[in-house]
Amino acid sequence: MSDERWELEQRRLQAQLDEGVPKEEGLQLGYALFDEGMEHFSCARYPESLKDFEQSLAINERFMAPEALELCTNLNNCASAHEKLGQREMAVYFYERAVAVLNHPSAVYDEQRRRARDHVMGKLGRMTRGDAADDAGGNAQATQLVAAALWEEGLKLFKLDRPAEALVLFEHVLTYNHKFPPPSDSAVLATTLNNIGAAHEKCHNLGEAVSYFKVAADELRRSTVPGKEAKIAHVVKRLAQLQLKMDSGSDGGADSVVANASGNGRGDGHAGGSDVQPPPPPPPPPPPSHPPP
């Protein structure tokens, strides 16, 4: 690797880690990676394009607002590369995240966003129809690995105060939980329901939050999870707090997603608080326009 190329790679890494790289320089690095990814994609070099798109996404998530349309394009292109590589589950995962960006509560819904949503939803619909056709031969182990990745990403987004995006991922995990039910002595399903409720609460959907917390409590009661009484008490406490908010007209945020259970059937379902970080800064001026793959 040449000295110039090595230096560029180091600056990209610094931008991803937010280590002293100015915002303008970080965004330019993100755009450069995006352009490289587009070039690789057009030449059918899909592994190389995926690497560039993911690096560009990591940088842009550092410097852009969570509703930025550029993030949707990044996510869509990651999905397209995974789709070309035959990695359907990961493609669906990135398309779902793109939809969450498009539907972000802070987004201004204009014609450009509408077209982007139609584009992504069309591709996602095609992928999910393909998933349904493959259900009979589904690979449980592979699906559980994807569910675990979705779970961890959902927790990260919730902690970044991006509950609408986290909600999409938690709901996708719930789909996998139903497709491949966890054992009765696992709190995975109840924990997924609990976290969907917490994300709804943070999004100020208090009625939906109550519904999911109630189902989570019922699921725990039916389970054989060790120490389930304490877990049930935790969910019941959340329900009581929500009822007080609804009675008083308050819609304060949730503070209780579960961080140590995943969609892979190994979590213990212990609930704990989560400190959220402030939202990212406002979006920068848009980059040069690129059609999605």
Side-chain angles (χ1 to χ4, degrees), residues 18 61-62 66 104 155-163 202 254-255 257 273-281:
D18 203 16
E61 284 184 319
R62 289 281 181 180
H104 194 278
L155 290 175
K156 183 179 79 171
L157 291 169
F158 190 95
K159 292 174 183 177
L160 289 171
D161 204 14
R162 293 159 66 175
K202 189 67 173 175
D255 60 358
V257 297
S274 296
D275 295 329
V276 294
Q277 300 175 7

Side-chain angles (χ1 to χ4, degrees), residues 234-266:
H234 170 82
V235 179
V236 169
K237 179 181 177 182
R238 298 298 301 142
L239 280 167
Q241 292 171 338
L242 267 177
Q243 192 61 56
L244 284 175
K245 289 178 184 178
M246 295 174 73
D247 291 345
S248 66
S250 169
D251 62 354
D255 60 358
S256 196
V257 297
V258 179
N260 60 346
S262 67
N264 60 7
R266 294 193 297 269

